[in-house]
Amino acid sequence: MAFSREKERRDLLARQTKLDAGIAARRGSTDQLGYINQPKYTGNFPDRGFSNKARTIKANNNPGERLFYPLVDRDECPAKIIFSVIPNVTTSITGATKQILGQTATGIKQIEESATQYSQGTGEFAVLEDNAQDPSEVNQLNLASQQKRKKLSEKIAEYVALYGKVAEDPAYDDSRDKTSHQVHLYLPQAIQVTDGVTYNTNMQLGFIGGLAEKAMQDGVSVAGRVMGGAAGAVVAEANAFTNPSKIGSGMADVLAQRRLQATTISKTAQAAGFGMEAATQVTTNKNTRTFFQDVPMRSFGFSFSLIPTSRGEAEEIEKIIKLFRTELYPETIAVDGIRLGYKFPNRFQIKMKYNRNSGRGNDINLKFLPVYMTSFSATYNPNSPMLHADGKWNQVDIQMQFTETRPMSKADVRDGGY
């Protein structure tokens, strides 16, 4: 079918008319409390990922409260974002500390005793000689000692092998997260997620670092190359002063400057080195490189405008705000009313779903690692000072900021889809 600009214009007008009708219905007449009357509809609203019976729904594998906005799904909201609380799994600090310290002390003592007896051939590792004792008993004792020596040797080898088991950490698996309370909101627009890493762009290897780098690239002994190069540099720097003709004028100037500028004995010598650099127009190479440094945490924010169209929806908005504010803060640890510390706040799991037809919805291809909420703000009645007759706010705008709990890795993106 050929492209028709007129048909495209008519389709756009039809979609806009339908959208305007939906908005007009939502902003139509109000009831006695000032809430918008919902349009009467005798059929079934299609499930777009929300539920018009959200108050009665409980997830079997998701104990906790489930809150929704909007309560009644609408055609203009086929996508949603779900914030699920991940309760912290904690243990007694005192009990854990005693257990760790006790196990560590006992384990170290046993290892020390076993290693001493093993090396000295005493105790359980002793080898008996034939004497007045029963030869069969001696053989059994020696056999047991050999078996213990072999077992300890294998254990030591196992520990040593751990140092060689260096591999890439796998991608994060969010299916293991156990969640409780959930907040289902409409998918906001303009979601910005920034990935990045940091580099040190002024790492100076110097002469010795340059030797080590070259040795690694050439596959030769790093220690030998560095020691030999350092010894040669000392001799060359000495020759730069006594007999520069053996080295070459340019190299002699560089080596002489290095020696003068590196000395800590005399500032005059350092000044002479800089003066030599100005006069000869030759300077030393700092062997500057760009070094990878770190992976910062990803941070991002979301904004929502919550406008209640019923008393039930107004109450739902209040619960949503209270849940977010509650999970932002840590629990306090107090003794006799004196606050001594904090327990970490709970983390959040964030997922996005899109649902054009009835059903549970499909995951949107944008994932986040578990996050901490770092800030939450609410603006009440941003466009009007009026309240509903029951004292509920006519609009609340909320903004949230989150930071992931650990840095991203290559495996997270490649294998985990984050």
Side-chain angles (χ1 to χ4, degrees):
M1 181 177 180
F3 173 76
S4 172
R5 190 175 299 277
E6 179 61 24
K7 183 178 184 303
E8 182 183 26
R9 186 184 69 82
R10 290 198 303 269
D11 291 343
L12 286 174
L13 287 175
R15 286 197 294 268
Q16 186 62 46
T17 301
K18 183 178 179 181
L19 180 61
D20 291 342
I23 294 175
R26 186 172 179 85
R27 295 179 178 174
S29 61
T30 59
D31 58 18
Q32 295 179 352
L33 295 178
Y35 294 106
I36 300 168
N37 287 323
Q38 299 293 335
K40 295 182 179 180
Y41 180 63
T42 58
N44 294 322
F45 283 103
D47 184 1
R48 307 295 187 188
F50 298 106
S51 172
N52 61 345
K53 297 180 180 179
R55 292 184 171 281
T56 61
I57 293 179
K58 297 293 181 180
N60 295 331
N61 60 344
N62 194 48
E65 194 171 20
R66 299 181 73 193
L67 304 174
F68 294 77
Y69 178 86
L71 275 176
V72 178
D73 183 32
R74 299 188 179 277
D75 291 344
E76 64 265 25
C77 295
K80 66 177 179 177
I81 181 170
I82 306 172
F83 300 90
S84 303
V85 177
I86 306 176
N88 289 332
V89 179
T90 60
T91 185
S92 169
I93 297 176
T94 305
T97 303
K98 288 182 178 180
Q99 182 181 9
I100 293 172
L101 292 178
Q103 291 178 348
T104 302
T106 304
I108 291 176
K109 184 177 180 180
Q110 290 177 348
I111 292 174
E112 290 177 346
E113 293 178 352
S114 297
T116 301
Q117 295 177 358
Y118 180 89
S119 60
Q120 296 177 354
T122 59
E124 59 180 345
F125 302 104
V127 178
L128 304 178
E129 299 179 356
D130 291 337
N131 48 28
Q133 299 183 41
D134 185 358
S136 62
E137 182 180 354
V138 171
N139 291 336
Q140 290 179 355
L141 293 174
N142 287 340
L143 180 60
S145 176
Q146 292 174 2
Q147 291 175 343
K148 290 179 181 178
R149 291 178 68 88
K150 181 180 179 181
K151 186 175 181 180
L152 181 59
S153 298
E154 292 174 349
K155 200 67 177 178
I156 293 174
E158 180 182 340
Y159 290 148
V160 173
L162 287 176
Y163 291 95
K165 294 181 179 179
V166 179
E168 182 183 25
D169 193 35
Y172 185 81
D173 183 7
D174 59 3
S175 65
R176 298 181 180 180
D177 293 336
K178 297 185 181 301
T179 61
S180 58
H181 306 298
Q182 286 187 343
V183 176
H184 296 235
L185 299 174
Y186 63 88
L187 189 68
Q189 63 183 29
I191 300 173
Q192 181 177 357
V193 180
T194 303
D195 291 274
V197 295
T198 58
Y199 286 86
N200 184 343
T201 58
N202 192 32
M203 180 65 72
Q204 297 181 358
L205 297 182
F207 176 68
I208 300 300
L211 286 175
E213 180 188 40
K214 183 63 176 174
M216 290 290 290
Q217 293 173 347
D218 294 343
V220 299
S221 170
V222 175
R225 175 69 65 85
V226 170
M227 292 298 293
V234 173
V235 175
E237 289 168 2
N239 288 337
F241 287 99
T242 59
N243 196 358
S245 61
K246 289 185 177 180
I247 304 172
S249 59
M251 181 54 68
D253 291 338
V254 171
L255 294 172
Q257 290 172 33
R258 283 189 55 212
R259 179 50 53 195
L260 288 172
Q261 293 172 1
T263 181
T264 57
I265 299 175
S266 171
K267 291 186 177 180
T268 303
Q270 295 181 14
F274 292 120
M276 185 184 298
E277 180 177 333
T280 60
Q281 297 295 295
V282 176
T283 186
T284 58
N285 184 356
K286 304 297 190 299
N287 275 324
T288 305
R289 300 287 190 273
T290 296
F291 273 36
F292 172 77
Q293 186 167 321
D294 197 7
V295 180
M297 307 289 185
R298 295 195 307 175
S299 298
F300 36 84
F302 300 100
S303 298
F304 302 91
S305 184
L306 310 180
I307 304 174
T309 59
S310 66
R311 185 170 186 174
E313 204 164 57
E315 293 174 353
E316 195 84 353
I317 290 173
E318 291 178 347
K319 290 184 177 182
I320 289 172
I321 294 172
K322 183 174 182 180
L323 189 147
F324 279 135
R325 293 186 61 233
T326 300
E327 298 302 334
L328 169 70
Y329 290 102
E331 293 183 26
T332 58
I333 301 173
V335 177
D336 291 335
I338 301 174
R339 297 185 175 186
L340 301 179
Y342 296 102
K343 291 184 179 180
F344 281 20
N346 292 327
R347 298 172 297 161
F348 280 90
Q349 178 193 81
I350 301 178
K351 287 193 173 184
M352 302 177 183
K353 290 185 178 292
Y354 183 76
N355 212 6
R356 260 300 174 191
N357 300 309
S358 61
R360 298 182 60 186
N362 299 318
D363 289 339
I364 296 176
N365 189 24
L366 180 59
K367 298 176 65 176
F368 304 92
L369 297 174
V371 297
Y372 284 113
M373 180 186 289
T374 57
S375 70
F376 177 87
S377 66
T379 304
Y380 298 91
N381 282 5
N383 299 314
S384 170
M386 302 300 292
L387 297 174
H388 290 285
D390 57 355
K392 305 293 185 184
W393 303 102
N394 66 57
Q395 180 178 346
V396 184
D397 292 347
I398 61 174
Q399 296 83 35
M400 297 173 286
Q401 294 292 325
F402 296 92
T403 297
E404 289 180 325
T405 54
R406 69 161 176 80
M408 292 280 289
S409 69
K410 185 186 293 293
D412 291 326
V413 179
R414 182 190 63 217
D415 305 326
Y418 292 92

